Amino acid sequence: MFYSSIFFSGMLLLVILSNFNLIINSTIFFLFLIISVIYRFPFFSIINKIKYFIFTLLIIYSFSTPGEILFYYSFISITQEGFYLGVNNSLRIINTFLTIMLLMKLIPREFFINFIIKICYPLSYFGLNINNLTSRIFLTFDYLDFYKNYSFKFSNFIQVINRHIKNKSHVIKTKKIKKITPSAIDYCWIICFFSLFILIQFF
C-alpha cells in the first residue's frame, strides 16, 4: 500500500506537470533539490546528462516564439514570452526526469514488475500469454541490473550485449518466478488513476 501510494502520487505528478506555470515548476524543482540532499540522490548528475537537450529546448522556444523582444540583432531575436516558455518547459522536462528517477530509487523493482504484469493482465482475455510476459519482464529487469553500472556508449550498446551473450559472460539468475494475478484493490488503483488522468486532460 505504501509503494502504491508513492507510485500513484508520482504518476499523477507526471500527468499534471504540463499544466503547471513557471512558479510551480520552479517550486517542484527546488523541492527535488532538497530531497536529493536528504536522500543523496544524484540530482546534478541527471541534469548533466540532459543538459544539451535542455539547452536546445530553451533556444528553440526563445527564438521561435513571437512576443515582446528582449534582444535583437540582425535576423536573431529573443522574446520575453519565448524565454518564459523555454525556462518553464525546461523545468518541466527536468522535473519529469527527476520524478521518474526518484520513483525508481524509492520503489523496489518487484513492484514495477508486478505493476506491469497486472496492468497487462486484462490482455490475456485477447490471447496474451501472461506466463511468457512474466518471464520476459523478469529477464529484462535482470539485464537492466547487470548493465546499469556497466560503462558503454549507446552507439555500441547492441554489440556489447551480443558479445556478452555469445561469450556467456553473464548468466541470468532469477528467483523462482511466481504467478502474478491482480486483486480487486489493484483494479481500483488502476481505475482511479486513469479516471483522474481523463478528468485532468479533458476537464
Side-chain angles (χ1 to χ4, degrees):
M1 194 67 171
F2 174 71
Y3 292 128
S4 297
S5 301
I6 295 177
F7 182 77
F8 184 80
S9 301
M11 295 301 294
L12 185 61
L13 177 61
L14 291 175
V15 171
I16 62 179
L17 268 176
S18 59
N19 300 316
F20 290 157
N21 57 26
L22 181 59
I23 296 175
I24 300 178
N25 273 318
S26 300
T27 303
I28 295 174
F29 177 81
F30 285 110
L31 284 176
F32 275 126
L33 180 59
I34 296 172
I35 293 173
S36 67
V37 173
I38 297 174
Y39 291 98
R40 297 179 181 179
F41 189 64
F43 181 86
F44 293 104
S45 175
I46 294 172
I47 296 178
N48 184 57
K49 292 180 180 179
I50 60 174
K51 59 184 178 182
Y52 296 113
F53 175 72
I54 298 301
F55 183 70
T56 304
L57 191 67
L58 184 61
I59 290 178
I60 291 174
Y61 274 100
S62 298
F63 284 78
S64 63
T65 305
E68 183 180 348
I69 296 177
L70 294 177
F71 174 81
Y72 177 79
Y73 178 77
S74 184
F75 62 92
I76 299 175
S77 64
I78 299 176
T79 64
Q80 180 177 342
E81 290 78 5
F83 182 75
Y84 173 88
L85 288 174
V87 173
N88 187 39
N89 282 282
S90 297
L91 287 174
R92 180 172 60 84
I93 296 297
I94 293 173
N95 290 336
T96 300
F97 274 93
L98 292 175
T99 301
I100 295 171
M101 294 302 175
L102 191 62
L103 287 175
M104 294 180 67
K105 184 176 180 64
L106 295 178
I107 300 176
R109 76 165 192 166
E110 286 76 15
F111 178 88
F112 287 106
I113 294 174
N114 291 338
F115 175 78
I116 295 172
I117 295 172
K118 288 176 181 179
I119 203 171
C120 293
Y121 199 85
L123 296 177
S124 62
Y125 298 105
F126 298 95
L128 177 67
N129 191 317
I130 294 296
N131 293 329
N132 288 343
L133 175 67
T134 303
S135 300
R136 291 178 183 276
I137 291 175
F138 269 96
L139 291 174
T140 301
F141 274 86
D142 273 337
Y143 272 115
L144 288 175
D145 280 342
F146 176 72
Y147 285 106
K148 66 180 180 181
N149 296 321
Y150 189 86
S151 179
F152 62 87
K153 297 180 179 179
F154 284 102
S155 58
N156 66 342
F157 180 56
I158 300 299
Q159 289 82 354
V160 170
I161 293 179
N162 289 333
R163 185 169 64 251
H164 282 192
I165 294 175
K166 184 177 180 180
N167 297 333
K168 297 181 180 180
S169 57
H170 173 59
V171 178
I172 296 295
K173 297 179 180 179
T174 57
K175 298 178 181 179
K176 185 178 180 180
I177 300 177
K178 298 179 180 179
K179 187 176 181 179
I180 300 172
T181 54
S183 63
I185 297 177
D186 295 322
Y187 283 122
C188 287
W189 277 109
I190 295 173
I191 292 172
C192 287
F193 174 76
F194 283 107
S195 298
L196 281 174
F197 175 79
I198 294 172
L199 287 173
I200 292 170
Q201 292 297 319
F202 297 100
F203 299 100

